[in-house]
Coordinates of all heavy atoms in Angstrom, one line a residue:
M1 N 29.5 -3.1 -4.5 CA 29.2 -2.1 -5.6 C 27.7 -1.8 -5.7 O 26.9 -2.8 -5.6 CB 29.7 -2.7 -6.9 CG 29.6 -1.8 -8.0 SD 30.1 -2.6 -9.5 CE 31.7 -1.9 -9.7
T2 N 27.3 -0.7 -5.8 CA 25.9 -0.4 -5.9 C 25.5 -0.1 -7.3 O 26.2 0.3 -8.2 CB 25.5 0.9 -5.0 OG1 26.3 2.0 -5.6 CG2 25.9 0.7 -3.6
E3 N 24.3 -0.5 -7.6 CA 23.7 -0.3 -8.9 C 23.2 1.1 -9.0 O 22.6 1.6 -8.1 CB 22.6 -1.3 -9.3 CG 23.1 -2.7 -9.6 CD 22.0 -3.5 -10.0 OE1 21.1 -3.0 -10.8 OE2 21.9 -4.7 -9.6
T4 N 23.3 1.7 -10.2 CA 22.7 3.0 -10.5 C 21.6 2.8 -11.4 O 21.7 2.0 -12.4 CB 23.7 4.0 -10.9 OG1 24.3 3.6 -12.1 CG2 24.8 4.3 -9.9
H5 N 20.5 3.4 -11.2 CA 19.4 3.3 -12.1 C 19.2 4.7 -12.8 O 19.2 5.7 -12.1 CB 18.1 2.8 -11.4 CG 18.2 1.5 -10.7 ND1 18.3 0.3 -11.5 CD2 18.4 1.1 -9.5 CE1 18.3 -0.7 -10.7 NE2 18.5 -0.3 -9.4
E6 N 18.8 4.5 -14.0 CA 18.5 5.8 -14.7 C 17.2 6.2 -14.4 O 16.3 5.4 -14.2 CB 18.6 5.6 -16.2 CG 19.9 5.3 -16.8 CD 20.9 6.4 -16.7 OE1 20.4 7.6 -16.9 OE2 22.1 6.2 -16.3
P7 N 16.9 7.5 -14.2 CA 15.5 7.9 -13.8 C 14.6 7.5 -14.9 O 14.9 7.4 -16.1 CB 15.6 9.5 -13.8 CG 17.0 9.8 -14.0 CD 17.8 8.6 -14.3
M8 N 13.4 7.2 -14.6 CA 12.3 6.7 -15.6 C 11.9 7.9 -16.3 O 11.7 9.0 -15.7 CB 11.2 6.0 -14.8 CG 11.5 4.7 -14.2 SD 10.2 3.8 -13.3 CE 8.7 4.3 -14.0
T9 N 11.7 7.6 -17.6 CA 11.0 8.8 -18.4 C 9.5 8.8 -18.2 O 9.0 7.9 -17.5 CB 11.3 8.4 -19.9 OG1 10.6 7.2 -20.2 CG2 12.8 8.3 -20.2
Q10 N 9.0 9.9 -18.6 CA 7.5 10.0 -18.4 C 6.7 8.9 -19.1 O 5.7 8.3 -18.5 CB 7.2 11.3 -19.0 CG 5.7 11.7 -18.6 CD 5.4 13.2 -19.0 OE1 6.0 13.8 -19.7 NE2 4.1 13.6 -18.7
A11 N 7.3 8.5 -20.2 CA 6.6 7.3 -21.0 C 6.7 6.1 -20.1 O 5.8 5.2 -20.1 CB 7.2 7.1 -22.3
E12 N 7.8 5.8 -19.5 CA 8.1 4.6 -18.7 C 7.2 4.7 -17.5 O 6.6 3.6 -17.1 CB 9.5 4.4 -18.4 CG 10.4 4.1 -19.5 CD 11.9 4.2 -19.2 OE1 12.2 5.0 -18.3 OE2 12.7 3.5 -19.8
R13 N 7.0 5.8 -16.8 CA 6.2 5.9 -15.7 C 4.7 5.6 -16.1 O 4.0 5.0 -15.3 CB 6.4 7.3 -15.0 CG 7.6 7.4 -14.2 CD 7.5 8.6 -13.3 NE 7.4 9.9 -14.0 CZ 8.5 10.6 -14.6 NH1 9.7 10.2 -14.3 NH2 8.2 11.7 -15.2
A14 N 4.3 6.2 -17.2 CA 2.9 6.0 -17.7 C 2.7 4.6 -18.0 O 1.7 4.0 -17.6 CB 2.6 6.8 -19.0
A15 N 3.6 3.8 -18.6 CA 3.5 2.4 -18.9 C 3.5 1.6 -17.6 O 2.6 0.7 -17.5 CB 4.7 1.9 -19.7
Q16 N 4.3 1.9 -16.6 CA 4.2 1.2 -15.3 C 2.9 1.5 -14.6 O 2.3 0.5 -14.1 CB 5.3 1.7 -14.5 CG 5.5 1.0 -13.1 CD 6.7 1.4 -12.4 OE1 7.1 2.6 -12.4 NE2 7.3 0.5 -11.6
R17 N 2.3 2.7 -14.7 CA 1.0 3.0 -14.1 C -0.1 2.2 -14.7 O -0.9 1.7 -14.1 CB 0.7 4.5 -14.2 CG 1.2 5.3 -12.9 CD 0.6 6.7 -13.0 NE 0.5 7.3 -14.2 CZ 1.5 8.1 -14.8 NH1 2.6 8.3 -14.0 NH2 1.4 8.7 -15.9
R18 N 0.0 2.1 -16.0 CA -1.0 1.3 -16.8 C -1.0 -0.2 -16.5 O -1.9 -0.8 -16.2 CB -0.9 1.5 -18.3 CG -1.3 2.8 -18.9 CD -1.4 2.8 -20.4 NE -0.1 2.5 -21.0 CZ 0.8 3.5 -21.3 NH1 0.5 4.7 -21.1 NH2 2.0 3.1 -21.9
K19 N 0.2 -0.7 -16.4 CA 0.4 -2.1 -15.9 C -0.2 -2.3 -14.5 O -0.9 -3.3 -14.3 CB 1.9 -2.5 -16.0 CG 2.1 -3.9 -15.6 CD 3.6 -4.2 -15.6 CE 3.7 -5.6 -15.1 NZ 5.1 -6.0 -14.8
L20 N 0.2 -1.5 -13.6 CA -0.4 -1.6 -12.2 C -1.9 -1.4 -12.2 O -2.6 -2.2 -11.5 CB 0.3 -0.5 -11.3 CG -0.2 -0.4 -9.9 CD1 0.2 -1.8 -9.2 CD2 0.5 0.7 -9.2
N21 N -2.5 -0.5 -13.0 CA -3.9 -0.4 -13.1 C -4.6 -1.6 -13.6 O -5.6 -2.0 -13.1 CB -4.3 0.9 -13.8 CG -4.0 2.2 -13.1 OD1 -3.9 2.1 -11.8 ND2 -3.8 3.3 -13.8
R22 N -3.9 -2.2 -14.6 CA -4.5 -3.5 -15.2 C -4.5 -4.5 -14.2 O -5.5 -5.3 -14.0 CB -3.7 -3.9 -16.4 CG -4.0 -3.2 -17.7 CD -3.5 -3.9 -18.9 NE -2.0 -4.0 -18.8 CZ -1.2 -3.1 -19.3 NH1 -1.5 -2.1 -19.8 NH2 0.1 -3.4 -19.2
E23 N -3.4 -4.6 -13.4 CA -3.4 -5.7 -12.3 C -4.4 -5.5 -11.2 O -5.0 -6.4 -10.8 CB -1.9 -5.8 -11.8 CG -0.9 -6.2 -12.6 CD 0.6 -6.0 -12.1 OE1 0.7 -5.4 -10.9 OE2 1.5 -6.4 -12.8
R24 N -4.6 -4.2 -10.9 CA -5.5 -3.9 -9.8 C -7.0 -4.2 -10.3 O -7.8 -4.7 -9.7 CB -5.5 -2.4 -9.4 CG -4.3 -2.1 -8.6 CD -4.3 -0.6 -8.2 NE -3.2 -0.4 -7.4 CZ -2.7 0.8 -7.0 NH1 -3.3 1.9 -7.6 NH2 -1.8 1.0 -6.2
A25 N -7.3 -3.8 -11.6 CA -8.6 -4.1 -12.1 C -8.8 -5.6 -12.3 O -9.9 -6.1 -12.0 CB -8.7 -3.5 -13.5
R26 N -7.8 -6.4 -12.7 CA -8.0 -7.8 -12.8 C -8.3 -8.4 -11.4 O -9.2 -9.3 -11.3 CB -6.7 -8.4 -13.3 CG -6.7 -9.9 -13.6 CD -5.5 -10.5 -14.3 NE -5.2 -9.6 -15.5 CZ -4.0 -9.0 -15.7 NH1 -3.0 -9.1 -14.8 NH2 -3.8 -8.4 -16.8
A27 N -7.5 -7.9 -10.3 CA -7.8 -8.5 -9.1 C -9.2 -8.1 -8.5 O -10.0 -8.8 -7.9 CB -6.7 -7.9 -8.1
Y28 N -9.7 -6.9 -8.9 CA -11.0 -6.4 -8.5 C -12.0 -7.2 -9.1 O -13.0 -7.7 -8.4 CB -11.2 -4.9 -8.9 CG -12.5 -4.4 -8.6 CD1 -12.9 -4.1 -7.3 CD2 -13.4 -4.3 -9.7 CE1 -14.3 -3.6 -7.1 CE2 -14.7 -3.8 -9.4 CZ -15.1 -3.5 -8.2 OH -16.4 -3.0 -8.0
R29 N -11.9 -7.5 -10.4 CA -12.9 -8.3 -11.2 C -12.9 -9.8 -10.6 O -13.9 -10.4 -10.4 CB -12.6 -8.4 -12.6 CG -13.0 -7.0 -13.3 CD -12.9 -7.1 -14.8 NE -11.5 -7.5 -15.2 CZ -10.6 -6.8 -15.6 NH1 -10.8 -5.5 -15.6 NH2 -9.5 -7.2 -16.0
S30 N -11.7 -10.3 -10.2 CA -11.6 -11.6 -9.6 C -12.3 -11.7 -8.3 O -13.1 -12.6 -8.1 CB -10.3 -12.1 -9.5 OG -10.1 -13.2 -8.8
R31 N -12.2 -10.6 -7.5 CA -12.9 -10.7 -6.2 C -14.4 -10.5 -6.4 O -15.2 -11.3 -5.7 CB -12.4 -9.5 -5.3 CG -11.0 -9.7 -4.8 CD -10.7 -8.7 -3.7 NE -10.8 -7.4 -4.1 CZ -9.8 -6.8 -4.7 NH1 -8.6 -7.3 -4.9 NH2 -9.9 -5.5 -5.1
R32 N -14.8 -9.7 -7.3 CA -16.3 -9.6 -7.6 C -16.9 -10.9 -8.1 O -18.0 -11.2 -7.6 CB -16.5 -8.5 -8.7 CG -16.2 -7.1 -8.3 CD -17.3 -6.6 -7.4 NE -18.6 -6.6 -8.0 CZ -19.4 -5.6 -8.2 NH1 -19.1 -4.5 -7.7 NH2 -20.5 -5.7 -8.8
R33 N -16.2 -11.6 -9.0 CA -16.7 -12.9 -9.5 C -16.9 -13.9 -8.4 O -17.8 -14.6 -8.3 CB -15.7 -13.5 -10.6 CG -16.0 -13.0 -11.9 CD -15.3 -13.8 -12.9 NE -13.9 -13.8 -12.8 CZ -13.0 -12.9 -13.3 NH1 -13.6 -11.9 -14.0 NH2 -11.7 -13.0 -13.1
R34 N -15.9 -13.9 -7.4 CA -15.9 -14.9 -6.3 C -16.8 -14.4 -5.2 O -17.0 -15.2 -4.3 CB -14.5 -15.2 -5.9 CG -13.6 -15.8 -7.0 CD -12.2 -16.1 -6.6 NE -11.5 -14.9 -6.3 CZ -10.7 -14.5 -5.4 NH1 -10.5 -15.3 -4.4 NH2 -10.1 -13.3 -5.3
G35 N -17.2 -13.2 -5.2 CA -18.0 -12.6 -4.1 C -17.2 -12.4 -2.9 O -17.7 -12.3 -1.8
V36 N -16.0 -12.1 -3.1 CA -15.0 -11.7 -1.9 C -15.0 -10.3 -1.7 O -15.1 -9.4 -2.6 CB -13.5 -12.2 -2.4 CG1 -12.6 -11.8 -1.4 CG2 -13.5 -13.7 -2.7
V37 N -15.0 -10.0 -0.4 CA -14.9 -8.6 0.1 C -13.5 -8.4 0.5 O -12.9 -9.2 1.4 CB -15.9 -8.4 1.2 CG1 -15.7 -7.0 1.6 CG2 -17.3 -8.6 0.7
W38 N -12.9 -7.4 0.1 CA -11.5 -7.0 0.6 C -11.6 -5.9 1.7 O -12.2 -5.0 1.6 CB -10.7 -6.4 -0.6 CG -9.3 -6.3 -0.4 CD1 -8.4 -7.2 0.2 CD2 -8.4 -5.2 -0.8 NE1 -7.1 -6.7 0.2 CE2 -7.2 -5.5 -0.4 CE3 -8.7 -4.0 -1.4 CZ2 -6.1 -4.6 -0.6 CZ3 -7.7 -3.1 -1.6 CH2 -6.4 -3.4 -1.3
A39 N -11.0 -6.2 2.9 CA -11.2 -5.4 4.0 C -9.8 -5.2 4.6 O -9.0 -6.1 4.8 CB -12.1 -6.1 5.0
W40 N -9.7 -3.9 5.1 CA -8.5 -3.6 5.8 C -8.9 -3.6 7.3 O -9.9 -3.2 7.6 CB -8.1 -2.1 5.6 CG -7.5 -1.9 4.3 CD1 -8.1 -1.6 3.1 CD2 -6.0 -1.8 4.0 NE1 -7.2 -1.4 2.1 CE2 -5.9 -1.6 2.6 CE3 -5.0 -2.0 4.7 CZ2 -4.7 -1.5 2.0 CZ3 -3.7 -1.9 4.2 CH2 -3.5 -1.7 2.8
I41 N -8.1 -4.3 8.1 CA -8.4 -4.6 9.4 C -7.1 -4.3 10.3 O -6.0 -4.3 9.8 CB -9.0 -6.0 9.7 CG1 -7.9 -7.0 9.4 CG2 -10.2 -6.2 9.1 CD1 -8.2 -8.4 9.9
E42 N -7.3 -4.0 11.6 CA -6.2 -3.8 12.5 C -6.2 -5.0 13.4 O -7.4 -5.5 13.9 CB -6.4 -2.6 13.4 CG -6.3 -1.3 12.6 CD -6.5 0.0 13.5 OE1 -6.5 -0.2 14.8 OE2 -6.3 1.1 12.9
I43 N -5.1 -5.6 13.7 CA -5.0 -6.7 14.6 C -4.2 -6.3 15.8 O -3.1 -5.9 15.7 CB -4.3 -7.9 13.9 CG1 -4.9 -8.3 12.5 CG2 -4.2 -9.1 14.8 CD1 -6.3 -8.8 12.7
E44 N -4.8 -6.4 17.0 CA -4.1 -6.0 18.2 C -3.2 -7.2 18.7 O -3.3 -8.3 18.2 CB -5.2 -5.8 19.3 CG -6.0 -4.5 19.0 CD -7.0 -4.3 20.0 OE1 -7.1 -4.9 21.0 OE2 -7.8 -3.3 19.7
P45 N -2.3 -6.9 19.6 CA -1.4 -7.9 20.0 C -2.1 -9.1 20.7 O -1.7 -10.2 20.6 CB -0.5 -7.1 21.0 CG -0.4 -5.8 20.5 CD -1.8 -5.5 20.0
R46 N -3.2 -8.8 21.4 CA -3.9 -9.9 22.0 C -4.5 -10.8 21.0 O -4.6 -12.0 21.2 CB -5.1 -9.2 22.8 CG -4.8 -9.1 24.3 CD -6.0 -8.6 25.1 NE -7.2 -9.0 24.5 CZ -8.4 -8.4 24.9 NH1 -8.4 -7.4 25.8 NH2 -9.5 -8.7 24.5
A47 N -5.1 -10.2 19.9 CA -5.6 -11.0 18.8 C -4.5 -11.9 18.2 O -4.7 -13.1 17.8 CB -6.3 -10.2 17.8
L48 N -3.3 -11.3 18.0 CA -2.2 -12.1 17.4 C -1.8 -13.2 18.3 O -1.6 -14.3 17.8 CB -0.9 -11.1 17.3 CG -1.1 -10.1 16.1 CD1 0.1 -9.2 16.2 CD2 -1.2 -10.8 14.8
A49 N -1.9 -13.0 19.6 CA -1.5 -14.1 20.6 C -2.7 -15.1 20.5 O -2.3 -16.4 20.5 CB -1.5 -13.5 22.0
G50 N -3.8 -14.7 20.3 CA -5.0 -15.7 20.1 C -4.9 -16.6 18.8 O -5.0 -17.8 18.9
L51 N -4.4 -15.9 17.8 CA -4.1 -16.7 16.6 C -3.0 -17.6 16.7 O -3.0 -18.8 16.2 CB -3.8 -15.8 15.4 CG -5.0 -14.9 14.9 CD1 -4.5 -13.8 13.9 CD2 -6.0 -15.6 14.3
E52 N -2.0 -17.2 17.4 CA -0.9 -18.1 17.8 C -1.4 -19.4 18.6 O -1.0 -20.5 18.4 CB 0.2 -17.4 18.6 CG 1.0 -16.5 17.7 CD 2.1 -15.7 18.4 OE1 2.0 -15.7 19.7 OE2 2.8 -15.0 17.8
R53 N -2.2 -19.1 19.6 CA -2.7 -20.1 20.5 C -3.6 -21.1 19.7 O -3.6 -22.3 20.0 CB -3.6 -19.6 21.7 CG -2.6 -18.9 22.7 CD -3.3 -18.4 23.9 NE -3.7 -19.6 24.7 CZ -4.7 -19.5 25.6 NH1 -5.2 -18.4 25.8 NH2 -4.9 -20.7 26.2
L54 N -4.2 -20.6 18.7 CA -5.1 -21.5 17.9 C -4.3 -22.2 16.8 O -4.8 -22.9 15.9 CB -6.2 -20.7 17.2 CG -7.3 -20.2 18.1 CD1 -8.2 -19.1 17.4 CD2 -8.1 -21.3 18.7
A55 N -3.0 -22.0 16.8 CA -2.0 -22.6 15.8 C -2.3 -22.1 14.4 O -2.0 -22.8 13.5 CB -2.0 -24.0 15.9
L56 N -2.9 -21.0 14.3 CA -3.2 -20.4 12.9 C -2.0 -19.5 12.5 O -1.8 -19.2 11.3 CB -4.4 -19.5 12.9 CG -5.7 -20.3 13.1 CD1 -6.9 -19.4 13.4 CD2 -5.9 -21.3 12.0
L57 N -1.2 -19.0 13.5 CA -0.1 -18.2 13.2 C 1.2 -18.6 13.9 O 1.1 -18.9 15.1 CB -0.4 -16.7 13.7 CG 0.6 -15.7 13.5 CD1 0.7 -15.4 12.0 CD2 0.2 -14.3 14.3
P58 N 2.3 -18.8 13.2 CA 3.4 -19.4 13.8 C 3.9 -18.4 14.9 O 3.8 -17.1 14.8 CB 4.5 -19.4 12.8 CG 3.7 -19.4 11.5 CD 2.5 -18.8 11.7
A59 N 4.4 -18.9 16.0 CA 4.8 -18.1 17.2 C 5.8 -17.1 16.8 O 6.8 -17.4 16.1 CB 5.3 -19.0 18.3
G60 N 5.6 -15.8 17.2 CA 6.4 -14.7 16.9 C 6.4 -14.3 15.4 O 7.1 -13.1 15.2
E61 N 5.7 -14.8 14.6 CA 5.6 -14.3 13.2 C 4.7 -13.1 13.1 O 3.6 -13.1 13.6 CB 5.0 -15.4 12.3 CG 4.9 -15.1 10.8 CD 6.2 -14.8 10.2 OE1 7.1 -15.6 10.3 OE2 6.3 -13.7 9.5
R62 N 5.2 -12.0 12.5 CA 4.4 -10.8 12.5 C 4.4 -10.3 10.9 O 3.9 -9.1 10.8 CB 4.9 -9.6 13.4 CG 4.8 -10.1 14.8 CD 3.4 -10.3 15.3 NE 3.2 -10.4 16.6 CZ 3.1 -11.7 17.2 NH1 3.0 -12.7 16.4 NH2 2.8 -11.8 18.5
G63 N 4.8 -11.1 10.1 CA 4.8 -10.7 8.7 C 3.3 -10.5 8.1 O 2.5 -11.2 8.5
L64 N 3.2 -9.5 7.3 CA 1.9 -9.1 6.8 C 1.2 -10.4 6.2 O 0.1 -10.7 6.4 CB 2.0 -8.1 5.8 CG 0.6 -7.5 5.3 CD1 -0.3 -7.0 6.3 CD2 0.9 -6.4 4.3
E65 N 2.0 -11.1 5.3 CA 1.4 -12.3 4.6 C 0.9 -13.4 5.6 O -0.2 -13.9 5.5 CB 2.3 -12.8 3.6 CG 1.8 -13.9 2.8 CD 2.7 -14.3 1.6 OE1 3.7 -13.6 1.3 OE2 2.5 -15.4 1.1
A66 N 1.8 -13.6 6.6 CA 1.5 -14.7 7.6 C 0.3 -14.3 8.4 O -0.6 -15.1 8.6 CB 2.6 -14.9 8.6
V67 N 0.2 -13.0 8.8 CA -0.9 -12.6 9.6 C -2.1 -12.6 8.8 O -3.3 -13.0 9.3 CB -0.7 -11.1 10.2 CG1 -1.9 -10.6 10.9 CG2 0.5 -11.2 11.2
S68 N -2.1 -12.1 7.5 CA -3.3 -12.2 6.6 C -3.8 -13.6 6.4 O -5.1 -13.8 6.5 CB -3.0 -11.6 5.3 OG -2.6 -10.2 5.4
D69 N -2.9 -14.4 6.2 CA -3.3 -15.8 6.0 C -4.0 -16.4 7.3 O -5.0 -17.2 7.2 CB -2.1 -16.7 5.7 CG -1.6 -16.6 4.3 OD1 -2.3 -15.9 3.5 OD2 -0.5 -17.0 4.0
A70 N -3.4 -16.2 8.5 CA -4.0 -16.6 9.7 C -5.4 -16.0 10.0 O -6.3 -16.7 10.3 CB -3.1 -16.2 10.9
V71 N -5.6 -14.7 9.7 CA -6.9 -14.1 9.9 C -7.9 -14.7 8.8 O -9.1 -15.0 9.2 CB -6.8 -12.6 9.8 CG1 -8.2 -12.0 9.7 CG2 -6.0 -12.0 10.9
A72 N -7.5 -14.9 7.6 CA -8.3 -15.6 6.6 C -8.8 -16.9 7.0 O -10.0 -17.2 6.9 CB -7.6 -15.5 5.2
R73 N -7.9 -17.7 7.5 CA -8.2 -19.1 7.9 C -9.2 -19.0 9.1 O -10.2 -19.8 9.2 CB -7.0 -19.9 8.3 CG -6.2 -20.3 7.1 CD -5.2 -21.4 7.5 NE -4.3 -21.0 8.6 CZ -3.1 -20.5 8.4 NH1 -2.6 -20.4 7.2 NH2 -2.4 -20.2 9.5
F74 N -9.0 -18.1 10.1 CA -9.8 -17.9 11.2 C -11.2 -17.6 10.8 O -12.3 -18.2 11.1 CB -9.3 -16.8 12.1 CG -10.3 -16.6 13.4 CD1 -10.2 -17.5 14.4 CD2 -11.0 -15.6 13.4 CE1 -10.9 -17.3 15.5 CE2 -11.9 -15.3 14.5 CZ -11.8 -16.1 15.6
V75 N -11.4 -16.6 9.8 CA -12.7 -16.2 9.4 C -13.4 -17.3 8.6 O -14.5 -17.5 8.7 CB -12.5 -14.9 8.5 CG1 -13.9 -14.5 7.8 CG2 -12.1 -13.8 9.4
Q76 N -12.6 -18.1 7.7 CA -13.3 -19.1 7.0 C -13.7 -20.3 7.9 O -14.7 -20.9 7.6 CB -12.1 -19.8 6.0 CG -11.9 -18.7 4.9 CD -10.7 -19.3 4.0 OE1 -9.9 -20.2 4.4 NE2 -10.5 -18.7 2.9
A77 N -13.1 -20.4 9.1 CA -13.7 -21.4 10.1 C -14.8 -21.0 10.9 O -15.5 -21.8 11.5 CB -12.5 -21.8 11.0
A78 N -15.2 -19.7 10.7 CA -16.3 -19.1 11.6 C -17.7 -19.8 11.3 O -18.4 -20.2 12.2 CB -16.4 -17.7 11.5
A79 N -18.0 -19.9 10.0 CA -19.4 -20.5 9.6 C -19.5 -22.0 10.0 O -20.5 -22.3 10.6 CB -19.5 -20.3 8.1
P80 N -18.5 -22.8 9.7 CA -18.6 -24.2 10.2 C -18.7 -24.4 11.7 O -19.5 -25.1 12.2 CB -17.4 -24.9 9.6 CG -16.9 -24.1 8.5 CD -17.4 -22.7 8.8
L81 N -17.9 -23.5 12.4 CA -17.9 -23.6 13.8 C -19.3 -23.1 14.4 O -19.8 -23.7 15.4 CB -16.8 -22.8 14.4 CG -15.4 -23.3 14.3 CD1 -14.3 -22.4 14.9 CD2 -15.3 -24.6 15.1
A82 N -19.9 -22.1 13.8 CA -21.2 -21.6 14.3 C -22.3 -22.8 13.9 O -23.2 -22.9 14.8 CB -21.6 -20.4 13.4
A83 N -22.2 -23.5 12.9 CA -23.0 -24.5 12.6 C -23.0 -25.7 13.7 O -24.0 -26.2 14.1 CB -22.8 -25.1 11.1
V84 N -21.8 -25.9 14.0 CA -21.5 -26.9 15.1 C -22.2 -26.5 16.4 O -22.8 -27.2 17.1 CB -20.0 -27.2 15.3 CG1 -19.8 -28.0 16.6 CG2 -19.3 -27.9 14.1
G85 N -22.0 -25.2 16.8 CA -22.7 -24.6 17.9 C -24.1 -24.7 17.9 O -24.8 -25.0 18.8
D86 N -24.7 -24.4 16.7 CA -26.2 -24.5 16.5 C -26.6 -25.9 16.6 O -27.7 -26.2 17.1 CB -26.6 -24.0 15.1 CG -26.4 -22.5 14.9 OD1 -26.2 -21.8 16.0 OD2 -26.4 -22.0 13.9
A87 N -25.8 -26.9 16.2 CA -26.3 -28.3 16.3 C -26.1 -28.7 17.8 O -26.9 -29.6 18.2 CB -25.3 -29.2 15.4
L88 N -25.1 -28.4 18.5 CA -24.9 -28.8 19.9 C -25.9 -28.1 20.8 O -26.3 -28.7 21.8 CB -23.5 -28.3 20.3 CG -22.4 -29.3 19.7 CD1 -21.1 -28.8 20.1 CD2 -22.6 -30.8 20.1
W89 N -26.3 -26.8 20.6 CA -27.1 -26.1 21.4 C -28.3 -25.4 20.6 O -28.3 -24.1 20.4 CB -26.4 -24.9 22.1 CG -25.3 -25.5 23.1 CD1 -25.5 -26.1 24.2 CD2 -23.9 -25.5 22.8 NE1 -24.2 -26.5 24.7 CE2 -23.3 -26.1 23.8 CE3 -23.2 -25.1 21.7 CZ2 -21.9 -26.3 23.9 CZ3 -21.7 -25.3 21.7 CH2 -21.2 -26.0 22.8
P90 N -29.2 -26.3 20.1 CA -30.2 -25.7 19.2 C -31.2 -24.7 19.8 O -31.6 -23.7 19.1 CB -31.1 -27.0 18.8 CG -30.6 -28.0 19.7 CD -29.4 -27.7 20.3
E91 N -31.4 -24.7 21.1 CA -32.2 -23.7 21.8 C -31.6 -22.4 21.7 O -32.3 -21.3 21.8 CB -32.7 -24.1 23.2 CG -31.5 -24.1 24.2 CD -30.6 -25.4 24.1 OE1 -31.0 -26.3 23.5 OE2 -29.5 -25.4 24.8
A92 N -30.4 -22.3 21.7 CA -29.7 -21.0 21.7 C -29.7 -20.4 20.4 O -29.5 -19.2 20.2 CB -28.1 -21.1 22.1
A93 N -29.9 -21.2 19.4 CA -29.9 -20.7 17.9 C -31.3 -19.8 17.7 O -31.3 -19.1 16.8 CB -29.7 -21.7 16.9
E94 N -32.3 -20.2 18.4 CA -33.6 -19.7 18.1 C -33.8 -18.2 18.7 O -33.3 -17.7 19.5 CB -34.7 -20.6 18.7 CG -34.8 -21.9 17.9 CD -35.7 -22.8 18.7 OE1 -36.3 -22.5 19.6 OE2 -35.7 -23.9 18.1

């Protein structure tokens, strides 16, 4: 059995838009406070395979949330890895 939904009234649509705008504004302010930059990126199949090889992404997983988490973990690891490289090869850092 399928559910039928009554069409939303103009007032209901306006209330829904206001709620969505409040959520977006809250998320924007939170990112600004934390100094976070929100970026849209494209991930090629080769990059996905690389994330899988680094064990940041479960094999075969292509869900948006899983890929986003894997990319975020990769980017978060970049600064400490660069510091290790600078410590191991100080002449290359200059």
